[in-house]
Amino acid sequence: MTEQQSKTEHVAEEEKKLTIVLFSGDLDRALAAFMIAATAASMAIEVTMFFTFWGLNVIKKNNGKIKAKGFMRKMFAWLNKGGTKRLKLSKFNMLGMGTAMIKKLMRGMKMPSLDQLIDMSHRMGVKMYACSTTCGLMGLDAGNFRDEVEPEIVGAAFFLGEAVESKSTLFIS
Amino acid sequence: MTEQQSKTEHVAEEEKKLTIVLFSGDLDRALAAFMIAATAASMAIEVTMFFTFWGLNVIKKNNGKIKAKGFMRKMFAWLNKGGTKRLKLSKFNMLGMGTAMIKKLMRGMKMPSLDQLIDMSHRMGVKMYACSTTCGLMGLDAGNFRDEVEPEIVGAAFFLGEAVESKSTLFIS
Amino acid sequence: MTEQQSKTEHVAEEEKKLTIVLFSGDLDRALAAFMIAATAASMAIEVTMFFTFWGLNVIKKNNGKIKAKGFMRKMFAWLNKGGTKRLKLSKFNMLGMGTAMIKKLMRGMKMPSLDQLIDMSHRMGVKMYACSTTCGLMGLDAGNFRDEVEPEIVGAAFFLGEAVESKSTLFIS
C-alpha cells in the first residue's frame, strides 16, 4: 500500500465518523440528537456521543437514586433528577401537557420513543460517554447511567480526540 | 486526471460546503443562521440549511393557515403558528418590546431584516429544506412553507449525506 | 517538497484547528466553551473563538461601563450588562442561588473558575474575537471587552474563513 492509498483510506474512514455533544437535557433536543445518531449508524457512520451538563439527565437511569455527597449536591440531585421519563420539551411544556401531547403524537405515528431510539442506537454501535467534569460536579458515577452508556467516564480531551477524527461534530446545546 | 488530482479537487470542493441545522425558532438564532448562510454564499461556499422542530417556524409562511388534522395537532398549530413576523428574541422579549426594539435598531443601522436575509440567501443559491419527521409530527407539508424553501421534505439521512460532504456543519439549537 | 507532501501537511495542520462560536451568555455554556477551548489548546490544537449576540456578555469587562448612544441601546446595555460575574446558569438559576451553588461546588473541587479558564485559554494562545454585527447593534467597541480579547472586531466572513480551515466548528447557542 502506497502512502497515497493509505491517505485516501484515512479520509474515507474519517468521512464515516460523527461526534455529537449533547449539552441539553430537553426532550426535543435529546430526540433530535438520537434521531441523527440512529440514522447515521444505519448509514454505517461511526457515531460517538458525549453527554455533558444537563445532557447527563438524558442518560441517567429512570427511577435511579443518586447518592450525592454534601448538602448542595444532594439538593441539586433532587432538583435535577433526570432520566428519559422526566425530560420536558424546551417550549410548550405547559406543566407537562405539551410534553405528553408530543409523546402521544409520536406514538400515534409509530415513531420510536426516546428510550427506543437510545436502545436502537446502542445496538447499532453508537458509543455514549458521560463527561467526567460534570459527573464530578454533580456527584455522579458510572452506576447512575443506563446500561447503554459506556462504563468509562471521559473528559474533554477524549471528546476532542474523537472530534479530530470526525467528519462532523455537532454541539447540541 | 490522476487519482491524486481527483482527490485534491474533491477536498477543494468539500472546503466550499457548509451545512446548517436550525433547530431553534428564536429570532436571534434565526438571524445568526441566515447571516452566516448569506455571508457564506457571498464567499462562494455552497450552503444547505435544514429546519427542524421549532426551526420550522422560521420558514413557515407569514399569515399562512395550517390545516393540521386531529385535535392535538390543531392545538399545537395554534400555539406554534410561526412565520418570521412572529419570531421572538430568546432573551429580553419583554412581551414583544425587546424584539421590537432590536428590529428597530437593525432598521436604523440599515441591516437587512430576517425576511431580506432569507430572500438574499435564496437568490445566492442557499438550499433550504424542511425536516420530514417534524413535519409529520406537526401536520405540516410543503404548502406551509415560504417560496424560498425547496419543495421536497427531507429526512435525517439526507441531512447526514450533506454533512458528510461539508467542511463544516453547524447545529443551531 | 512534492504536491502530495504539501497536501498531507495541509491536512495534518487542519486537523489541529478548532473554531468555536459562542452565541450564548449563560454561565454553563460559557464554561463548556472555555473548558473545550483550554483543553484543545493544551493538546496543541489551534483554537479560534467568536463571540456573538449574548455571547458578547461573556467577554465584556466586569464592572465596565458601556457608553451606548441612543435611548434604546442605553436601555439594552443596562438590561444586558454582562461580564463573567453576572452570568447565570441557563437552568436552576433560582434568583442566583443555583448559580452561586455551582460556583461554590467548583471551588470546592479546585476547578478553575470561568475567569481563570479565560486567562488560561488566552495564555495558551486561544484567539477570541467579538462579532462586528452584534457590536454595531448593541453599541459596543473593542474598549468594552476584556484584555484577553483580540482588538479587531470581525465579521461573519472572518469566522467562515476560520471555519473553512478548521477540522471542527462548534456552534454553542
Side-chain angles (χ1 to χ4, degrees):
Chain A
M1 187 154 69
T2 67
E3 193 191 342
Q4 170 56 19
Q5 277 175 308
S6 128
K7 179 74 219 324
T8 311
E9 286 196 8
H10 169 72
V11 173
E13 208 162 281
E14 175 212 299
E15 273 172 19
K16 290 293 185 188
K17 189 155 177 171
L18 169 70
T19 297
I20 299 173
V21 183
L22 186 57
F23 177 94
S24 166
D26 296 322
L27 177 63
D28 39 356
R29 293 180 169 114
L31 283 168
F34 277 101
M35 279 175 194
I36 293 172
T39 308
S42 78
M43 293 163 75
I45 297 174
E46 190 188 330
V47 185
T48 306
M49 299 179 83
F50 288 88
F51 298 83
T52 186
F53 275 83
W54 320 108
L56 289 180
N57 284 345
V58 178
I59 52 167
K60 279 185 197 161
K61 279 179 186 156
N62 278 307
N63 309 314
K65 272 179 191 166
I66 290 162
K67 288 174 191 159
K69 280 176 193 166
F71 171 73
M72 284 191 299
R73 278 207 195 82
K74 271 196 219 311
M75 200 174 117
F76 211 78
W78 178 77
L79 280 166
N80 189 39
K81 281 196 190 88
T84 50
K85 306 294 185 214
R86 283 199 184 86
L87 305 183
K88 296 171 196 161
L89 286 182
S90 66
K91 275 182 194 286
F92 302 119
N93 177 54
M94 303 182 292
L95 303 171
M97 238 171 63
T99 299
M101 209 164 87
I102 284 282
K103 286 182 181 175
K104 204 175 164 189
L105 278 174
M106 285 173 66
R107 277 194 302 274
M109 293 180 64
K110 315 278 184 216
M111 280 173 56
S113 68
L114 180 56
D115 279 316
Q116 287 168 328
L117 282 167
I118 295 175
D119 177 57
M120 280 165 57
S121 298
H122 175 64
R123 281 168 197 271
M124 291 191 291
V126 173
K127 297 286 181 205
M128 306 174 204
Y129 294 94
C131 159
S132 57
T133 309
T134 326
C135 283
L137 205 57
M138 299 190 176
L140 302 169
D141 59 37
N144 296 120
F145 302 114
R146 309 166 61 105
D147 294 342
E148 293 93 344
V149 179
E150 299 299 310
E152 313 101 88
I153 307 289
V154 302
F158 186 88
F159 150 63
L160 284 160
E162 295 292 299
V164 158
E165 287 178 9
S166 296
K167 185 61 199 152
S168 313
T169 301
L170 307 177
F171 192 103
I172 304 187
S173 72
Chain B
M1 187 155 63
T2 67
E3 191 190 341
Q4 169 57 19
Q5 278 175 310
S6 130
K7 179 74 220 326
T8 309
E9 284 194 11
H10 170 70
V11 172
E13 208 161 283
E14 174 211 300
E15 274 171 18
K16 290 294 187 187
K17 189 155 176 170
L18 169 71
T19 297
I20 299 173
V21 184
L22 186 57
F23 177 95
S24 166
D26 297 320
L27 176 63
D28 39 357
R29 292 179 170 116
L31 283 169
F34 276 100
M35 277 176 196
I36 293 172
T39 308
S42 77
M43 293 163 74
I45 297 173
E46 191 187 329
V47 185
T48 306
M49 299 178 85
F50 288 90
F51 298 84
T52 185
F53 276 83
W54 320 108
L56 289 179
N57 284 345
V58 178
I59 53 168
K60 278 185 197 160
K61 279 179 187 156
N62 278 308
N63 309 315
K65 272 178 191 167
I66 291 161
K67 287 174 193 162
K69 280 176 194 167
F71 173 72
M72 284 192 300
R73 278 208 195 82
K74 272 197 217 313
M75 200 174 117
F76 213 78
W78 180 77
L79 281 165
N80 190 39
K81 282 194 190 89
T84 49
K85 306 292 185 217
R86 282 199 184 85
L87 305 183
K88 295 171 196 162
L89 286 182
S90 65
K91 275 180 193 286
F92 302 118
N93 178 53
M94 303 182 291
L95 303 170
M97 237 171 63
T99 298
M101 209 163 87
I102 284 283
K103 286 182 181 175
K104 203 173 166 190
L105 278 174
M106 284 173 68
R107 276 194 302 274
M109 293 181 63
K110 314 278 182 216
M111 281 173 57
S113 69
L114 181 55
D115 279 315
Q116 287 169 327
L117 283 167
I118 295 175
D119 177 58
M120 279 165 56
S121 298
H122 175 65
R123 281 167 198 271
M124 291 191 292
V126 172
K127 298 285 180 205
M128 306 174 204
Y129 294 94
C131 159
S132 57
T133 310
T134 324
C135 283
L137 204 57
M138 299 189 177
L140 302 170
D141 60 35
N144 297 120
F145 301 115
R146 307 166 64 105
D147 294 341
E148 293 93 343
V149 178
E150 299 299 310
E152 314 101 89
I153 307 287
V154 302
F158 186 88
F159 150 62
L160 284 160
E162 295 291 300
V164 158
E165 287 178 10
S166 296
K167 184 62 197 153
S168 315
T169 301
L170 307 177
F171 192 104
I172 303 187
S173 75
Chain C
M1 186 154 68
T2 68
E3 192 190 340
Q4 170 57 19
Q5 278 175 308
S6 130
K7 180 77 217 325
T8 310
E9 284 194 12
H10 169 72
V11 172
E13 209 163 281
E14 176 210 299
E15 273 170 20
K16 289 293 188 187
K17 188 154 176 173
L18 169 70
T19 296
I20 299 173
V21 183
L22 186 56
F23 176 94
S24 166
D26 297 320
L27 177 63
D28 39 357
R29 293 181 169 116
L31 283 169
F34 277 101
M35 278 175 196
I36 293 172
T39 308
S42 76
M43 293 163 75
I45 297 173
E46 192 187 328
V47 185
T48 305
M49 300 178 82
F50 288 88
F51 298 83
T52 187
F53 276 83
W54 320 108
L56 289 180
N57 284 345
V58 178
I59 52 167
K60 278 185 197 160
K61 280 179 187 155
N62 277 307
N63 309 314
K65 273 179 192 164
I66 291 161
K67 289 175 192 159
K69 280 177 194 167
F71 172 73
M72 284 192 300
R73 278 207 195 84
K74 272 195 217 312
M75 201 175 116
F76 212 77
W78 179 77
L79 280 164
N80 189 39
K81 281 195 190 89
T84 50
K85 306 295 186 213
R86 282 198 184 85
L87 305 182
K88 296 171 195 162
L89 286 181
S90 66
K91 275 180 193 286
F92 302 119
N93 178 53
M94 303 181 291
L95 302 171
M97 238 172 62
T99 299
M101 208 165 87
I102 284 284
K103 286 182 182 176
K104 204 176 164 188
L105 278 174
M106 285 174 67
R107 277 194 301 274
M109 292 181 65
K110 314 279 184 214
M111 280 174 57
S113 68
L114 181 55
D115 279 314
Q116 288 169 327
L117 283 166
I118 295 175
D119 177 57
M120 279 165 56
S121 298
H122 175 64
R123 281 168 197 271
M124 291 192 292
V126 172
K127 298 285 180 206
M128 306 174 204
Y129 294 93
C131 159
S132 57
T133 310
T134 325
C135 283
L137 204 56
M138 300 189 177
L140 301 170
D141 61 35
N144 297 119
F145 301 115
R146 307 166 62 107
D147 294 341
E148 293 93 344
V149 179
E150 299 299 309
E152 313 99 90
I153 306 288
V154 302
F158 186 88
F159 150 63
L160 285 159
E162 295 291 300
V164 158
E165 288 179 9
S166 297
K167 184 62 198 152
S168 315
T169 300
L170 307 177
F171 192 103
I172 303 187
S173 74

